[in-house]
Amino acid sequence: MGGAALALTLAACSSSSGSSSLRPEGPNSPVATVAPKPSGADPSESSKMVCAPEAQSELATALGVAPTQVTTPTWADHTYSCTYVYPNGSFTLQVKELDSAALTTGYFNSLAALLGRQPTRLALAAGAFITTNGSVVARKDWKVLLVDVTHLPPSFGQPPQDPKDNAISVAATILSCWSGA
C-alpha cells in the first residue's frame, strides 16, 4: 500500500464526523488504556464495530467504493463476523475473542499454520501477517482479526488494488479505530 493511502487510512478514524464509542472525543483527547477482557456471552464493542455503520463508511473511503450490502453480523463460538458485498466480489471480517494472551497467541499461530503465512511482516497491532491467499490476520489484546479477501477480484477499489493490498487497507482502517475492549 502506498504511503499516502496508508496515511489516509490511519487518519480516517480520528477525522470522522460524529462520535465513536471506541475513541474519546476531541482531537487531543488521550486514548484510554483498557485492560483486555475475556470473551463473554455477547460480542465486545470493539468486535461489533467492524460491521457498524462508522466502519462501513471508513472502509468505503479507504477502498474508494461503498458496499452494496453488509450482511447481518453473526456471533458463534466467540467469533463475530460479517461480509461486505460489492457488485463484483466480497470480503469477510471475522473477530475471534479469546480469554488470555496465551490463547490469543495459540489461535493466531493456528491461523498461520492453517492459512499459510507470507514472509512479509506487517507493522499492525500486536502482530499481523499476510496469508498465502492474500488475506490478513492481525491480533490486538485478546482478539484476532481476519480480513478474508478470497472473494475479491484480482483488481478492486478506486484506485484499483490487488486483494492483498485491499486486505492491508481494511485491517489498517479497522485497527486504527480499534481501541478499548
Side-chain angles (χ1 to χ4, degrees):
M1 172 182 344
L6 183 58
L8 175 63
T9 297
L10 296 177
C13 195
S14 61
S15 67
S16 65
S17 60
S19 64
S20 167
S21 62
L22 299 176
R23 293 187 58 91
E25 294 194 23
N28 297 321
S29 297
V31 174
T33 301
V34 178
K37 296 179 184 173
S39 60
D42 297 313
S44 66
E45 289 302 312
S46 57
S47 290
K48 291 191 289 188
M49 68 85 53
V50 303
C51 304
E54 181 180 1
Q56 293 174 33
S57 175
E58 291 174 7
L59 290 173
T61 299
L63 299 175
V65 60
T68 56
Q69 174 191 10
V70 176
T71 63
T72 301
T74 60
W75 174 245
D77 190 28
H78 301 283
T79 302
Y80 192 78
S81 180
C82 66
T83 300
Y84 284 68
V85 180
Y86 300 86
N88 60 339
S90 65
F91 66 84
T92 299
L93 298 180
Q94 286 185 349
V95 179
K96 176 74 168 179
E97 297 189 19
L98 297 127
D99 292 329
S100 69
L103 289 172
T104 305
T105 298
Y107 183 73
F108 181 80
N109 290 338
S110 75
L111 287 180
L114 178 69
L115 303 174
R117 183 179 188 151
Q118 293 185 12
T120 305
R121 294 190 61 143
L122 293 178
L124 291 174
F129 63 89
I130 301 168
T131 69
T132 54
N133 68 20
S135 296
V136 168
V137 176
R139 63 177 288 174
K140 184 171 187 307
D141 299 326
W142 294 349
K143 295 176 180 63
V144 177
L145 170 69
L146 169 61
V147 181
D148 179 351
V149 293
T150 56
H151 298 305
L152 284 182
S155 183
F156 177 79
Q158 284 301 330
Q161 300 183 85
D162 67 39
K164 173 190 62 135
D165 288 334
N166 281 299
I168 294 168
S169 293
V170 169
T173 300
I174 294 298
L175 292 165
S176 71
C177 300
W178 207 4
S179 62

